[in-house]
Amino acid sequence: MPPPVLAQARRAELAEALDVLGVDRQLRHRLGVADMRVAEEEAHVCSQVEKVLRNSGATLCVAPWSGDLHSDHEAVGRAARAAASAVGIALWQYPVWMWHWAMPDDPRVPWRSFHRLPLAPEELARKKTALRCFRTQIAPLEDHAAVILPPEELAHHQRPFETVLVETESR
């Protein structure tokens, strides 16, 4: 699948998943930063996230974990940390790829700082439905047989709880 077509498919999949989760379309903000280019645009991402946080009156910022060992996730995590700090609100970061590479005693992971947030059965059902929207990542593509999120990786994202690193900022 050519990169522009894949990018369009991924945007559509994300929109579909957000619909499943009930995220109001008016509250969505696309920055248009290219895949694997977020670190290059980190200052822009930070300023835009800070603007959204300030204008919305948010009391919590949730972002990918800055230690996830995926360059885009790390850059977004750093940008969110800076934006949340500038606004003076709490930051929760969630791992995505950590489940793929980390072992229970991995010193790169601040295990004691992570918290479990239980999901109600209906929340878990919605989450599983939303995960199925990401067809280009969970099923083989016509021109690429390997899947990005094989079943054993996807299993980490279908547990009856979320795992978040909780950071607070007091002003």
Side-chain angles (χ1 to χ4, degrees), residues 68 95-102 111 153 156-157 159 161 163:
D68 208 32
V96 177
W97 291 111
M98 179 192 81
W99 303 117
H100 181 68
W101 56 261
W111 296 107
E153 170 65 25
H156 293 288
H157 304 289
R159 296 180 292 200
F161 58 87
T163 304

Side-chain angles (χ1 to χ4, degrees), residues 66-90:
S66 59
D68 208 32
L69 297 186
H70 181 290
S71 62
D72 283 350
H73 297 186
E74 291 178 356
V76 170
R78 290 188 304 266
R81 179 182 292 118
S85 179
V87 176
I89 63 173

Side-chain angles (χ1 to χ4, degrees), residues 59-129:
T59 58
L60 174 66
C61 180
V62 180
W65 178 42
S66 59
D68 208 32
L69 297 186
H70 181 290
S71 62
D72 283 350
H73 297 186
E74 291 178 356
V76 170
R78 290 188 304 266
R81 179 182 292 118
S85 179
V87 176
I89 63 173
L91 172 67
W92 290 1
Q93 292 190 330
Y94 55 89
V96 177
W97 291 111
M98 179 192 81
W99 303 117
H100 181 68
W101 56 261
M103 301 305 275
D105 59 350
D106 194 313
R108 298 170 291 181
V109 179
W111 296 107
R112 295 185 194 280
S113 298
F114 280 98
H115 299 269
R116 280 186 179 192
L117 303 174
L119 296 174
E122 62 275 5
E123 293 168 329
L124 180 58
R126 271 198 328 266
K127 181 179 179 184
K128 287 180 177 183
T129 301

Side-chain angles (χ1 to χ4, degrees), residues 20-104:
V20 167
L21 294 172
V23 177
D24 185 333
R25 290 178 182 206
Q26 300 295 338
L27 300 177
R28 301 177 194 179
H29 302 274
R30 280 202 63 74
L31 301 183
V33 178
D35 189 35
M36 303 306 292
R37 299 294 251 244
V38 179
E40 297 170 21
E41 300 285 336
E42 193 169 326
H44 171 69
V45 171
C46 179
S47 69
Q48 293 302 302
V49 171
E50 182 179 339
K51 185 171 140 183
V52 168
L53 295 174
R54 284 190 193 284
N55 292 343
S56 68
T59 58
L60 174 66
C61 180
V62 180
W65 178 42
S66 59
D68 208 32
L69 297 186
H70 181 290
S71 62
D72 283 350
H73 297 186
E74 291 178 356
V76 170
R78 290 188 304 266
R81 179 182 292 118
S85 179
V87 176
I89 63 173
L91 172 67
W92 290 1
Q93 292 190 330
Y94 55 89
V96 177
W97 291 111
M98 179 192 81
W99 303 117
H100 181 68
W101 56 261
M103 301 305 275

Side-chain angles (χ1 to χ4, degrees), residues 146-170:
V147 295
I148 295 172
L149 294 171
E152 61 275 10
E153 170 65 25
L154 205 52
H156 293 288
H157 304 289
Q158 297 183 32
R159 296 180 292 200
F161 58 87
E162 292 292 344
T163 304
V164 296
L165 177 83
V166 176
E167 299 183 27
T168 58
E169 179 69 28
S170 56

